[in-house]
Amino acid sequence: MAAPESEACAAMERSVRQRVPPLLTDLYHFTMAYAYWRSGRHDEPAAFELFFRDNPFGGGFSLFAGLHDCLLFLKHFSFSEEDVQYLRSVLPGCTDPAFFCYLRSLDCSQVTLRSVPEGQTVFARVPLVQVSGPLAVVQLLETSLLCLVNYASLVCSNAARFRLAAGPRLRLLELGLRRAQGPDGGLTASRYSHIGGFDVSSNVLAGCVFGIPVSGTMAHSFVTSFSSLEQVQPRTLSPARGGRDPVDLVTLSLAWRGRICVVLGVEPGQAWLGELAAFLSYAVAFPDQFLAVIDTYSVHSSGLVNFCAVALALCELHYRPLGVRLDSGDICRQSVEVRRVFRVCSEEFAVPSLLSLSIVGTNNITEDNLRQLSHTENEIDVVGVGTHLVTCTLQPSLGCVYKLVEVSGRPRMKLSEDPEKSTLPGRKSVYRLYSPEGHPFVDLLCLWGEGPPQSGLGLRCHPLGGGQGVLTVTPTRVEELLQDCFTQGQVTQPLPTVAQLRERVQVSVNALHPRHTQLSAPDTYTVAVSERLHALITECTSCNSTAGHTDSLPS
């Protein structure tokens, strides 16, 4: 059972304080902070924006995640005496001792964070987070914020893609903890995979901390640990409805196994007794939760026969077994055969509950495997995904960056020899424009303080990436994306629960036009800048090319 909400919130805050202390950053942020302080610029007002340059996995969208932890990190940001003593040991010996007193006094009481809502669909080049405050402080936040957003957003987006590939019918089970990048990566993956669309996790700690539904039965090692029916202890099971003495489940299952072998034309000697012993022991322990892995030996001649024998014995005692798991071979073909046997046994022995048994597939599943399921005959109800979900095999990093856009009210722009690495100057507002059909079709970046677009009125904008020229668009609805979330040391927005974030993800993904959510060769979603921002970009570029430095950038 999940902890009460207040206890869960307190546990989350403790977790963030422990996992993301202010020393979880790169050393050069402290050397820059010292240089700012030494030159008297540390308190200059500055703004940074966090964004990514390309949609992940070759897809048409991403999901923004990790904001919850970012806000708790800002709330508790401060340097302890132990932190400062360590910094004394790694910064150059010429560092002014007064700088360390300055570090001890720092917190985020003068920091403001504006953000896209967590769980929202987002696109390349759109600011996800805007952080403003004293220059040295907001510089020191960079690496930690990137660490908290990058992987959370990537794995949440990956989970959403798996959900799209699976379609609405299949239940998805996340079981990647053992393959994740360390304990924290495993916990993060379980949390954001669930938010992204997975139904259940195998991660017990994720269930405890985040309230995620958890599930699990047996591994092959449990099956292979048994070799004979003598190992089944206890052998008896009381009927679910009471009123009868305990029944010898071993004898009852052997009788059912003989009848099943006749119906299926299987030689009884082909079904491993050690496997039957494993199934019986598990059924005695969990008669209402009996789900067995049936591919340890042979699915057709052993695993399926032994499972049906125990399942029918449980049904006779008025329990309802859950189903089977397939973990090797052609699980689509095997699932069809398994379902056929369930139907045969249900009809032959007049046990209707066999028709509702679940079939779980867990054989190193990839996104492509899930897409192929919809085009291949199968009877799979639940798919378990591990490695390719939590390690994000197709793309190991989202590549979020955190770039300076304004200092003391003056825009700042990085102009790189690689145009893809250039930044957009000035603090911004971001507006999502909706079509008459209710789909978002443009994310418009405007200068901070610029008037918002108006529903029903046409406006000119300049798409990023080139090739489209100037666009004139008329939105039927306008949504402002960046919202104040943290100011004066306090979180100013209610922190959504995992369930609320999960619902927001589904709503935001479903709102997109199918041409943007298709998993292969999606259409590019339009991200554009307003005419005023476009003029500023042109002016900054021109100033840089003529002056060679940022002193000429416009105010």
Side-chain angles (χ1 to χ4, degrees):
M1 180 180 294
E5 188 172 338
S6 59
E7 294 181 20
C9 291
M12 286 290 295
E13 293 211 25
R14 287 195 301 272
S15 173
V16 172
R17 288 200 301 271
Q18 293 166 0
R19 293 184 296 116
V20 200
L23 292 188
L24 187 70
T25 189
D26 298 299
L27 182 61
Y28 71 84
H29 288 301
F30 289 104
T31 60
M32 287 190 291
Y34 178 68
Y36 289 142
W37 179 85
R38 197 80 172 82
S39 61
R41 300 189 61 220
H42 54 288
D43 281 332
E44 285 188 36
F48 285 77
E49 289 177 349
L50 185 154
F51 61 93
F52 58 91
R53 295 189 174 102
D54 296 293
N55 293 329
F57 310 110
F61 70 95
S62 182
L63 288 164
F64 173 51
L67 176 63
H68 184 283
D69 286 356
C70 289
L71 296 175
L72 295 181
F73 166 67
L74 296 184
K75 180 179 177 181
H76 296 288
F77 182 86
S78 65
F79 292 95
S80 68
E81 186 59 39
E82 292 77 10
D83 295 335
V84 171
Q85 290 303 320
Y86 176 74
L87 289 170
R88 286 179 186 273
S89 72
V90 295
L91 286 172
C94 61
T95 304
D96 188 332
F99 175 66
F100 299 105
C101 295
Y102 162 72
L103 288 180
R104 282 287 283 129
S105 71
L106 288 186
D107 58 26
C108 286
S109 59
Q110 298 181 67
V111 171
T112 297
L113 183 143
R114 300 169 67 233
S115 172
V116 172
E118 186 164 13
Q120 181 64 271
T121 52
V122 288
F123 305 95
R125 305 299 297 274
V126 173
L128 310 180
V129 173
Q130 185 183 91
V131 185
S132 56
L135 177 58
V137 177
V138 291
Q139 183 76 74
L140 285 168
L141 302 176
E142 175 177 349
T143 297
S144 297
L145 294 179
L146 287 171
C147 182
L148 290 169
V149 169
N150 258 311
Y151 180 62
S153 298
L154 185 72
V155 76
C156 191
S157 303
N158 201 27
R161 289 178 62 86
F162 273 92
R163 169 47 69 197
L164 287 169
R169 182 186 68 84
L170 279 178
R171 286 176 58 79
L172 293 177
L173 163 65
E174 177 270 315
L175 36 73
L177 179 59
R178 66 186 62 195
R179 303 291 171 80
Q181 292 92 336
D184 189 55
L187 196 60
T188 301
S190 296
R191 178 182 179 186
Y192 290 105
S193 294
H194 182 64
I195 290 170
F198 274 63
D199 300 285
V200 187
S201 175
S202 66
N203 187 338
V204 177
L205 184 58
C208 176
V209 175
F210 307 126
I212 296 171
V214 294
S215 178
T217 55
M218 67 175 70
H220 295 102
S221 57
F222 182 81
V223 178
T224 57
S225 74
F226 287 84
S227 57
S228 73
L229 295 177
E230 284 69 32
Q231 293 171 303
V232 181
Q233 296 294 333
R235 294 170 58 97
T236 60
L237 181 65
S238 297
R241 297 179 183 174
R244 291 172 54 189
D245 293 333
V247 174
D248 187 317
L249 193 63
V250 176
T251 302
L252 183 59
S253 297
L254 284 172
W256 276 113
R257 194 172 81 146
R259 297 173 66 184
I260 292 165
C261 287
V262 171
V263 170
L264 299 182
V266 174
E267 289 292 330
Q270 293 180 302
W272 287 60
L273 288 179
E275 183 180 53
L276 178 62
F279 292 174
L280 285 164
S281 295
Y282 199 89
V284 169
F286 302 104
D288 282 318
Q289 300 291 323
F290 179 55
L291 192 150
V293 59
I294 62 171
D295 68 324
T296 305
Y297 304 111
S298 165
V299 171
H300 176 72
S301 60
S302 185
L304 189 52
V305 171
N306 284 329
F307 170 80
C308 287
V310 178
L312 284 164
L314 288 173
C315 289
E316 185 174 334
L317 299 178
H318 305 294
Y319 293 98
R320 292 182 68 91
L322 297 183
V324 300
R325 179 164 72 95
L326 300 168
D327 191 49
S328 60
D330 185 343
I331 60 174
C332 287
R333 178 186 57 78
Q334 290 175 5
S335 71
V336 172
E337 170 63 11
V338 168
R339 187 70 71 196
R340 183 191 70 81
V341 170
F342 288 167
R343 292 192 184 105
V344 167
C345 289
S346 174
E347 182 177 345
E348 180 70 24
F349 304 120
V351 182
S353 59
L354 294 184
L355 297 176
S356 60
L357 292 171
S358 293
I359 300 175
V360 182
T362 60
N363 185 18
N364 199 31
I365 303 294
T366 66
E367 182 185 300
D368 281 343
N369 295 150
L370 278 180
R371 278 191 276 183
Q372 291 165 9
L373 279 178
S374 62
H375 303 293
T376 305
E377 183 185 9
N378 74 89
E379 291 287 344
I380 297 172
D381 302 294
V382 183
V383 172
V385 188
T387 303
H388 298 287
L389 172 65
V390 303
T391 66
C392 300
T393 314
L394 296 179
Q395 182 171 324
S397 174
L398 180 57
C400 285
V401 293
Y402 182 89
K403 297 298 181 183
L404 181 68
V405 296
E406 184 180 281
V407 178
S408 296
R410 294 172 60 85
R412 289 293 181 264
M413 181 179 186
K414 175 185 175 184
L415 284 159
S416 172
E417 292 184 3
D418 183 352
E420 288 296 314
K421 289 196 170 185
S422 295
T423 61
L424 303 178
R427 283 196 296 164
K428 302 167 194 72
S429 296
V430 181
Y431 299 96
R432 180 155 292 176
L433 311 184
Y434 287 82
S435 70
E437 295 75 28
H439 300 300
F441 70 103
V442 174
D443 277 10
L444 181 68
L445 280 54
C446 300
L447 286 174
W448 171 256
E450 186 177 347
Q454 298 299 307
S455 300
L457 296 180
L459 62 93
R460 287 163 51 89
C461 59
H462 299 259
L464 296 176
Q468 296 186 62
V470 180
L471 285 182
T472 300
V473 297
T474 304
T476 57
R477 182 164 72 89
V478 176
E479 177 185 10
E480 186 170 6
L481 288 186
L482 291 179
Q483 303 173 1
D484 288 338
C485 296
F486 185 92
T487 186
Q488 297 182 342
Q490 297 298 318
V491 178
T492 57
Q493 292 274 359
L495 294 175
T497 65
V498 167
Q500 290 168 332
L501 289 175
R502 177 180 167 83
E503 181 179 359
R504 181 181 292 166
V505 163
Q506 294 308 310
V507 170
S508 60
V509 171
N510 291 336
L512 295 178
H513 194 283
R515 65 174 181 268
H516 296 129
T517 58
Q518 62 190 43
L519 299 177
S520 179
D523 284 1
T524 300
Y525 183 88
T526 300
V527 175
V529 298
S530 68
E531 293 207 278
R532 281 185 58 186
L533 180 52
H534 183 262
L536 178 62
I537 295 167
T538 303
E539 187 178 358
C540 290
T541 305
S542 175
C543 289
N544 186 79
S545 62
T546 56
H549 51 74
T550 58
D551 289 345
S552 300
L553 289 180
S555 298

